[in-house]
Amino acid sequence: PIHLKFNTGLNRLGFPEADLNWVGSHLKASGVMEVRSLFSHLAASDDLEEWEYTRGQIQAFENIIRKAEPHLGGKPFKHLLNTSGIFNYPEAQLDMVRTGIGLYGYSNDPETDRLLRPVARLRTRISQIHDIRPGQWVGYNKGFTASAPIHTATLPIGHADGIGRHFGKGRGVVFINDKPAPIIGNVWMDMNMIDISGIECQEGDEVIFFGKGHSAETLAGKAGTISYELLTGISRRVPRIVLE
């Protein structure tokens, strides 16, 4: 069995509609392939300003289905919708849907996110606390220089774990006892530093990067990226604890 993909506007993978006859003739000539499903992929289902483009993709796929089925000698499953498509274009559900980021509890839309429950949290613990005087710098290459007395905490997690350098220099924010603490200076291979001034905490206390009440989408957005990259980028060396 095979799954046959058609390109309707994402222009990444799939046969163009113009190749339908060619595809059909090769399928019949092979005599060994059964088309289990026909599918395509939406380019901008999360952006309602691109409604017209997405509707055009849906209509193009429906047209492909009508033209393709006579070549197939059966009724394969049809599927088109990703997570955003499920919420924004329910009329195009067809036989199946493909929820990706939705399985993690995110949807690309803050209103819809409230209906979902994130399935993962990323946490670590404070390794060491430092008192930093004005004029002292923190981390490699003077990534941060204190303009006033501050308290910092070192966390044992860095870009080798999936917390990239783009989260440094105040862009990323973590939480200690539900209080925000910005990542300061440059993120290192195995560590990063946070400003804990005004937060009651001690070495060994838990620090949350994302989880219940602290969205991975929000953290990612502060660093100019998306939750997909953050969630899938957590490296294998970070232990996974599965709760049932």
Side-chain angles (χ1 to χ4, degrees):
I2 64 170
H3 299 265
L4 198 57
K5 187 169 191 174
F6 285 91
N7 175 32
T8 55
L10 182 58
N11 297 314
R12 182 176 65 181
L13 289 173
F15 293 106
E17 182 179 345
D19 282 354
L20 264 173
N21 290 335
W22 181 89
V23 171
S25 65
H26 279 69
L27 287 172
K28 290 179 180 178
S30 77
V32 297
M33 289 185 286
E34 172 201 356
V35 178
R36 185 63 55 86
S37 80
L38 299 174
F39 69 107
S40 188
H41 197 70
L42 298 176
S45 60
D46 58 324
D47 186 355
L48 293 178
E49 292 186 2
E50 296 294 345
W51 178 88
E52 187 174 352
Y53 189 85
T54 301
R55 282 302 312 168
Q57 279 197 266
I58 294 170
Q59 291 166 5
F61 186 55
E62 291 171 344
N63 190 47
I64 287 170
I65 291 170
R66 286 192 297 270
K67 291 182 178 180
E69 286 188 332
H71 294 287
L72 305 179
K75 289 286 185 180
F77 291 108
K78 280 80 67 178
H79 48 102
L80 175 66
L81 297 185
N82 53 8
T83 295
S84 295
I86 292 169
F87 289 104
N88 293 332
Y89 300 90
E91 71 280 6
Q93 287 180 14
L94 302 173
D95 298 311
M96 298 187 292
V97 295
R98 306 187 306 268
T99 179
I101 195 67
L103 291 174
Y104 289 86
Y106 297 94
S107 70
N108 298 318
D109 177 71
E111 292 300 319
T112 306
D113 282 348
R114 294 189 179 96
L115 305 175
L116 303 175
R117 182 171 62 184
V119 300
R121 67 171 176 165
L122 178 65
R123 64 177 184 168
T124 188
R125 294 189 181 276
I126 295 174
S127 292
Q128 194 171 11
I129 289 176
H130 297 272
D131 297 322
I132 305 297
R133 301 189 303 274
Q136 286 189 311
W137 46 283
V138 175
Y140 289 132
N141 307 116
K142 295 186 177 180
F144 175 85
T145 303
S147 59
I150 64 169
H151 303 293
T152 68
T154 303
L155 308 181
I157 186 170
H159 52 75
D161 303 292
I163 303 301
R165 286 172 63 88
H166 49 286
F167 287 103
K169 297 188 176 181
R171 291 182 288 267
V173 175
V174 300
F175 292 87
I176 304 171
N177 299 322
D178 278 333
K179 294 184 178 179
I183 298 173
I184 59 175
N186 292 307
V187 176
W188 314 328
M189 178 80 72
D190 307 296
M191 290 173 277
N192 66 73
M193 302 284 283
I194 59 174
D195 183 351
I196 57 169
S197 303
I199 301 176
E200 289 291 331
C201 59
Q202 59 188 359
E203 292 166 358
D205 281 0
E206 184 178 74
V207 179
I208 301 295
F209 277 78
F210 59 80
K212 185 178 180 181
H214 305 299
S215 170
E217 186 67 34
T218 300
L219 174 60
K222 289 180 180 296
T225 184
I226 57 177
S227 58
Y228 295 76
E229 182 177 37
L230 176 57
L231 292 165
T232 60
I234 304 302
S235 75
R236 290 186 177 185
R237 75 179 198 168
V238 176
R240 268 67 169 171
I241 300 173
V242 180
L243 304 178
E244 297 188 35

